[in-house]
C-alpha cells in the first residue's frame, strides 16, 4: 500500500528533491561568510576538493544504502535510526525557527518594512522579533505547517512536485539578485573578499570547517539522502543524482556569495556572521535598491529553507511509515507536534537553539556519515553495492578515504 506510493515518478523530480534538500540556509548565509573568514579562494578550493573526495562518496554511500534498503523492507534504517531520526528531528526543530524568521521577513518586506531604515534600526527590528515569544513561535509554526502540508501530500505529489517547480525558480531568483548586487558601484571589493586566496588563513580549524560545511550543505548523515534515494526509480542512477546535487549545491553556494558579498561591500559594511548578515544588514541594503529585491531575497530564503525542511521531516515520517506501519497522515501530525514542541524551546531559549545546532551538525551528522560509509563500504554485499557505485575507485573512497577523513576531522575538532 503506502510502499508503492513512496516513489518519485521521474529522474528530474528525484534530482530536484535532492538538490532542494542540499540547497538551504547553509548555502545562503553560512557559506559566503565562511569563505571570507577562512581565506577566500583558498577555502573554496579545499571545499571543492573535500566535496569530490569525501562528501560525494558519502552521498553515494548513503543513497546506495537507501536503494538497497528499500528492497529489504527498510531494514538498514533500523540500524541507523537512533542517530538519523534524532539528528533530522533536532535539525528540523531549530531550522524551523530560522524558516519562521524568513517568513516573518518576507511579510515585512512585502509591506515595505525596511525602506528608509538604517542598520541600527534593522537591528532593533530583529531584536524585537526575536524577543517576542508570540511572533517567534507563531512564525515557526507557520513554517513547520507549510513543511507538513507539502510532506503530507506524498512523495511524488508533495515533495517531488514542490521541488520540480521551486528549485528552478530559486536559481533564477538568486541569479537576479547576484546581477543586481554586482551592478552596484564598489561591488568589486565583495568579489575580492570571496576569491582572493589567502593561504595563511587555511589552518586546521579552517580545514575542519570546510569538511563540516560540505557535510551540512549536502545534507549528509541524517538520512535525508538515504530516504530520498530509496524513493528513486530502479533505473535511475545514484551516481548521476549525486553528481548533479553536488554541482547544484556548490554552484548555488557560490551564487549566493555573489548575491550577498558585493552588496555588503558596496554599502561599505563589514560582513558579520550568521543571522546578523541575513536579517540585519541585507534587508537594509536590498531595500535601498527598491521594494522588489527584498521580497525576492526573502522568498528565495524561504523556498531554500522549505525544500530542506521537507527532507528532514520526511526522514522521520518515512521511518514511522515503513518501519512502524503508521499511516502517513498520522506520522506527519505526530512529527509536526513534536517538532513544534522542541522548535518552541529553540525559539524562546537561544541556549537550546545553539545546543541543537552544535549537537546535530558536529556530533550526529559526523556519526551518521561515518555509519553510512561503513555500512555501504563494509557491511552490504559488494556485488549489490557495485551495481550502484559502479567504479572501483569510488568504492575505495567510500571504504577507506571517507571514514579516515571523518575520524581525522572529529579528532581535530576535539583537540
Ligand atoms: N543542506 C541543508 C542546508 O544547506 C541543511 C540540511 C542538512 C538539510 C541535513 C537536510 C539535512 O541548509
Amino acid at each position: 500500500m503506502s510502499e508503492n506510493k513512496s516513489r518519485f515518478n521521474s529522474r528530474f523530480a528525484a534530482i530536484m528533491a535532492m538538490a532542494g534538500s542540499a540547497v538551504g540556509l547553509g548555502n545562503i548565509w553560512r557559506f559566503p561568510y565562511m569563505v571570507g573568514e577562512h581565506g577566500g579562494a583558498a577555502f573554496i578550493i579545499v571545499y571543492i576538493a573535500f566535496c569530490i573526495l569525501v562528501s560525494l562518496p558519502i552521498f553515494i554511500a548513503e543513497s546506495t544504502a537507501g536503494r538497497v534498503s528499500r528492497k529489504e523492507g527498510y531494514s538498514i534504517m533500523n540500524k541507523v535510526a537512533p542517530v538519523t531520526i534524532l539528528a533530522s528531528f533536532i535539525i528540523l526543530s531549530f531550522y524551523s525557527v530560522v524558516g519562521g524568521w524568513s517568513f516573518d521577513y518576507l511579510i515585512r518586506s512585502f509591506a515595505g518594512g525596511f525602506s528608509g531604515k538604517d542598520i541600527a534600526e534593522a537591528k532593533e527590528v530583529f531584536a524585537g522579533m526575536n524577543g517576542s515569544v508570540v511572533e517567534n513561535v507563531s512564525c515557526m509554526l507557520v513554517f513547520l505547517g507549510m513543511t507538513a502540508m507539502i510532506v503530507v501530500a506524498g512523495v511524488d505529489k508533495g515533495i517531488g512536485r514542490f521541488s520540480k517547480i521551486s528549485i528552478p525558480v530559486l536559481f533564477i531568483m538568486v541569479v537576479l539578485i547576484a546581477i543586481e548586487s554586482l551592478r552596484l558601484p564598489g561591488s568589486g571589493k565583495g568579489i575580492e573578499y570571496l576569491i582572493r586566496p589567502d593561504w595563511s588563513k587555511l589552518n586546521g580549524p579552517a580545514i575542519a570547517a570546510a569538511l563540516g560545511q560540505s557535510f551540512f550543505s549536502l545534507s549528509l548523515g541524517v538520512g535525508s539522502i538515504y530516504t530520498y534515494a530509496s524513493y528513486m526509480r530502479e533505473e535511475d542512477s545514484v551516481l548521476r543524482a549525486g553528481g548533479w546535487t553536488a554541482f547544484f549545491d556548490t554552484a548555488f553556494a557560490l551564487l549566493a556569495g555573489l548575491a550577498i558579498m558585493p552588496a555588503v561591500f558596496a554599502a561599505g559594511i563589514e560582513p558579520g556572521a550568521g543571522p546578523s548578515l541575513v536579517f540585519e544588514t541585507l534587508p537594509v541594503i536590498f531595500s535601498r535598491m527598491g521594494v522588489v529585491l527584498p521580497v525576492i531575497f526573502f522568498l528565495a530564503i524561504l523556498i531554500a529553507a522549505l525544500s530542506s525542511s521537507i527532507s528532514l521531516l520526511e526522514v522521520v515520517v518515512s521511518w514511522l511509515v515503513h518501519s512502524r506501519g503508521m499511516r502517513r497522515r498520522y506520522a506527519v501530525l505526530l512529527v509536526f507536534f513534536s517538532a513544534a514542541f522542541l522548535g518552541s524551546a529553540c525559539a524562546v531559549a537561544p541556549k537550546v537553539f545553539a545546543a541543537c545546532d552544535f549537537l546535530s551538525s558536529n556530533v550526529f551528522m559526523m556519526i551518521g556519515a561515518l555509519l553510512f560509509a561503513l555500512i555501504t563500504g563494509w557491511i552490504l554485499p559488494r556485488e549489490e553495492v557495485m551495481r550502484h557505485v559502479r567504479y572501483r575507485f569510488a568504492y575505495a573512497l567510500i571504504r577507506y578515504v571517507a571514514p579516515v577523513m571523518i575520524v581525522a576531522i572529529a579528532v581535530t575538532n576535539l583537540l
Side-chain angles (χ1 to χ4, degrees):
M1 121 237 103
S2 52
E3 189 73 354
N4 298 328
K5 276 195 240 152
S6 307
R7 231 350 137 203
F8 289 121
N9 287 337
S10 66
R11 187 168 76 200
F12 186 63
I15 292 179
M16 284 302 111
M18 283 177 167
S21 172
V23 168
L25 299 167
N27 305 55
I28 295 183
W29 85 48
R30 219 161 139 212
F31 182 81
Y33 176 74
M34 280 195 152
V35 170
E37 183 82 326
H38 294 304
F43 182 84
I44 296 182
I45 292 168
V46 174
Y47 179 86
I48 291 177
F50 273 153
C51 215
I52 296 170
L53 291 175
V54 186
S55 303
L56 191 51
I58 293 179
F59 186 106
I60 292 164
E62 186 171 334
S63 37
T64 299
R67 293 290 289 270
V68 176
S69 168
R70 183 190 179 100
K71 282 216 307 217
E72 299 169 346
Y74 287 87
S75 55
I76 296 172
M77 195 53 174
N78 296 330
K79 298 198 186 78
V80 292
V83 178
T84 56
I85 299 296
L86 213 60
S88 52
F89 176 73
I90 293 176
I91 299 179
L92 176 65
S93 305
F94 77 82
Y95 214 82
S96 296
V97 176
V98 187
W101 295 347
S102 359
F103 173 73
D104 188 305
Y105 271 56
L106 176 61
I107 305 293
R108 279 174 198 272
S109 28
F110 256 123
F114 296 102
S115 47
K117 285 214 162 51
D118 59 24
I119 308 263
E121 287 167 320
K123 273 197 192 333
E124 272 167 33
V125 172
F126 185 70
M129 175 195 72
N130 220 353
S132 153
V133 172
V134 177
E135 188 173 341
N136 219 346
V137 171
S138 48
C139 288
M140 182 272 299
L141 289 177
V142 170
F143 179 83
L144 203 55
M146 294 197 256
T147 308
M149 295 226 294
I150 300 170
V151 171
V152 90
V155 173
D156 196 63
K157 290 220 167 64
I159 297 172
R161 195 184 281 172
F162 174 79
S163 312
K164 277 190 293 192
I165 300 168
S166 67
I167 300 307
V169 172
L170 180 61
F171 264 87
I172 296 171
M173 291 195 287
V174 175
V175 170
L176 281 179
I177 303 173
I179 293 173
E180 283 299 304
S181 176
L182 287 169
R183 277 183 24 197
L184 292 172
S187 63
K189 281 217 198 72
I191 304 176
E192 211 181 298
Y193 179 81
L194 285 176
I195 62 175
R196 196 191 44 218
D198 182 351
W199 297 100
S200 69
K201 284 195 184 150
L202 206 64
N203 47 16
I207 292 173
L211 191 67
Q213 169 67 11
S214 90
F215 279 8
F216 187 79
S217 199
L218 274 178
S219 304
L220 300 178
V222 305
S224 289
I225 298 305
Y226 164 96
T227 305
Y228 277 3
S230 78
Y231 299 154
M232 284 168 75
R233 298 180 308 179
E234 235 4 85
E235 65 265 36
D236 293 337
S237 128
V238 298
L239 281 183
R240 196 190 293 227
W244 278 116
T245 305
F247 171 76
F248 281 134
D249 189 54
T250 310
F252 191 89
L254 295 173
L255 264 174
L258 285 181
I260 290 172
M261 288 308 168
V264 170
F265 279 88
I269 294 162
E270 273 296 299
S276 72
L277 181 63
V278 169
F279 294 101
E280 292 170 3
T281 318
L282 289 171
V284 173
I285 301 174
F286 284 151
S287 48
R288 285 185 201 150
M289 295 148 76
V291 222
V292 187
L293 211 59
V295 172
I296 297 183
F297 181 65
F298 285 109
L299 189 59
I301 296 188
L302 183 63
I303 292 177
L306 265 179
S307 62
S308 295
S309 66
I310 54 179
S311 77
L312 291 160
L313 179 57
E314 183 61 28
V315 175
V316 192
V317 168
S318 175
W319 176 71
L320 288 172
V321 169
H322 296 110
S323 300
R324 297 266 160 251
M326 205 182 259
R327 294 266 291 277
R328 185 171 192 86
R329 210 176 308 155
Y330 298 126
V332 173
L333 263 179
L334 177 66
V335 188
F336 172 83
F337 281 113
S338 325
F341 185 72
L342 185 57
S344 304
C346 290
V348 295
K351 275 217 178 87
V352 178
F353 183 107
C356 285
D357 183 3
F358 177 83
L359 269 181
S360 53
S361 38
N362 293 312
V363 182
F364 288 120
M365 278 188 125
M366 292 285 165
I367 300 176
L370 184 61
L371 282 177
F372 281 120
L374 294 178
I375 286 174
T376 301
W378 298 89
I379 297 181
L380 294 179
R382 189 191 174 104
E383 321 77 70
E384 187 70 34
V385 170
M386 283 310 278
R387 281 187 42 228
H388 299 284
V389 174
R390 280 199 226 145
Y391 300 99
R392 289 249 284 287
F393 76 88
Y395 192 51
L397 288 176
I398 293 172
R399 275 166 77 92
Y400 306 105
V401 179
V404 168
M405 285 304 295
I406 295 174
V407 172
I409 296 290
V411 171
T412 317
N413 276 345
L414 283 182
L415 302 177

